[in-house]
Amino acid sequence: MLTWFAEANPIIQATLAGVFTWGCTAVGSAIVFLFNDVNRKLLDIMNGFAAGIMIAASFWSLLAPSIDYAQSGGYGKWAFVPAVVGFLVGGIFLRIIDLVVPNMDFASKEGVEGPKTSLSPTTLLFLAITIHNFPEGLSVGVAFGAGGMGLSSATLQSALILALGIGIQNLPEGSALSMPIRSGGSSKGHAFNLGQASALVEIVGATLGAWLVTQVTIILPYALSFAAGAMIFVCVEELIPESQNNGNNDVATLALLAGFALMMALDVALG
């Protein structure tokens, strides 16, 4: 089975990885069937840990391969250009989406970003998480696509580690969506369905990302850094505020450091 996966087309690998990250969200959302409430401190630790993983992954799994590909592609001393441009565009792109599409403000959990709307807080929360899930899927797809091109810093192992890190991040994210929906009066089944559905875009993003970079290789360094910028935006906009706004600052920060260190160790050792 593992041999078949290693030899599969990068698009298939990315799609299956997207299914895995969606499955992690579904598992997190399913907590609504077992508990009426989730320990806030545990969620903050998991969010901090996930942020550390994603920040590390943004460099070792996305930015470093972007620079590596640009250097081997004849950019010379300008090899940093695709990384810088893609990184900034990735973050700005998500910011524009936040301004255009009504969604929950993660920094305060009280305000609404985007145009005025009469949508319910549940719908706004669902939209916010769905919007931020797409670039996570895209980053997985781009990583698997890059891994299929033989770059020294972009390997199948690093793509798998990235998918694992995003999967870990999706566990608390699923419960962070399903539990408030349940608390708002919805049935457990409805809360679960909305929670898992928010990550379906990750499968689409993963497939699309792998297809794009394998079909139009010239965009690879930009796509890698775009995904990195989008992931950093998600960390700063969503995960870190979520972990820091509930009185568990110190333990959440330590968890972030632990997540970063673990991702760094795994990527360097196995990548």
Side-chain angles (χ1 to χ4, degrees):
M1 183 66 178
L2 292 177
T3 301
W4 173 86
F5 183 84
E7 296 175 353
N9 184 286
I11 299 175
I12 295 176
Q13 293 175 338
T15 301
L16 292 175
V19 171
F20 166 76
T21 59
W22 162 80
C24 290
T25 303
V27 170
S29 300
I31 291 178
V32 75
F33 293 113
L34 303 176
F35 304 101
N36 293 321
D37 194 15
V38 178
N39 185 280
R40 183 70 249 180
K41 185 174 183 179
L42 177 60
L43 277 179
D44 290 342
I45 291 173
M46 292 183 70
N47 278 321
F49 186 77
I53 286 178
M54 291 177 67
I55 292 171
S58 295
F59 176 74
W60 275 279
S61 296
L62 298 169
L63 284 176
S66 171
I67 296 172
D68 179 42
Y69 186 84
Q71 288 175 331
S72 64
Y75 280 78
K77 66 179 181 180
W78 300 103
F80 67 89
V81 171
V84 171
V85 171
F87 183 82
L88 293 176
V89 171
I92 293 171
F93 174 77
L94 274 196
R95 179 55 183 155
I96 292 173
I97 294 298
D98 277 346
L99 292 174
V100 173
V101 181
N103 63 90
M104 184 69 72
D105 183 356
F106 281 97
S108 66
K109 280 293 189 181
E110 299 174 354
V112 176
E113 291 186 321
K116 292 183 178 180
T117 179
S118 59
L119 295 175
S120 68
T122 293
T123 303
L124 293 171
L125 182 60
F126 174 80
L127 286 173
I129 292 181
T130 301
I131 289 169
H132 292 167
N133 274 339
F134 180 76
E136 294 173 10
L138 186 67
S139 67
V140 170
V142 170
F144 276 97
M149 295 183 178
L151 296 180
S152 60
S153 56
T155 63
L156 176 60
Q157 289 90 340
S158 64
L160 286 170
I161 293 170
L162 174 61
L164 177 61
I166 291 177
I168 293 172
Q169 183 264 324
N170 283 352
L171 290 170
E173 189 172 78
S175 60
L177 178 55
S178 65
M179 296 301 292
I181 293 174
R182 171 60 176 162
S183 299
S186 297
S187 68
K188 290 185 177 182
H190 181 65
F192 168 76
N193 284 332
L194 283 181
Q196 62 82 22
S198 69
L200 288 173
V201 293
E202 293 195 6
I203 303 175
V204 177
T207 304
L208 178 62
W211 180 81
L212 282 174
V213 299
T214 54
Q215 298 300 311
V216 190
T217 56
I218 193 172
I219 71 169
L220 178 58
Y222 295 94
L224 285 163
S225 55
F226 177 94
M231 283 180 60
I232 292 297
F233 183 91
V234 170
C235 287
V236 176
E237 175 82 357
E238 177 184 342
L239 294 178
I240 294 176
E242 272 284 274
S243 70
Q244 297 287 323
N245 283 347
N246 304 287
N248 300 309
N249 308 49
D250 291 341
V251 68
T253 300
L254 291 174
L256 187 151
L257 294 175
F260 187 98
L262 175 63
M263 184 66 185
M264 175 174 59
L266 288 175
D267 206 85
V268 173
L270 303 178

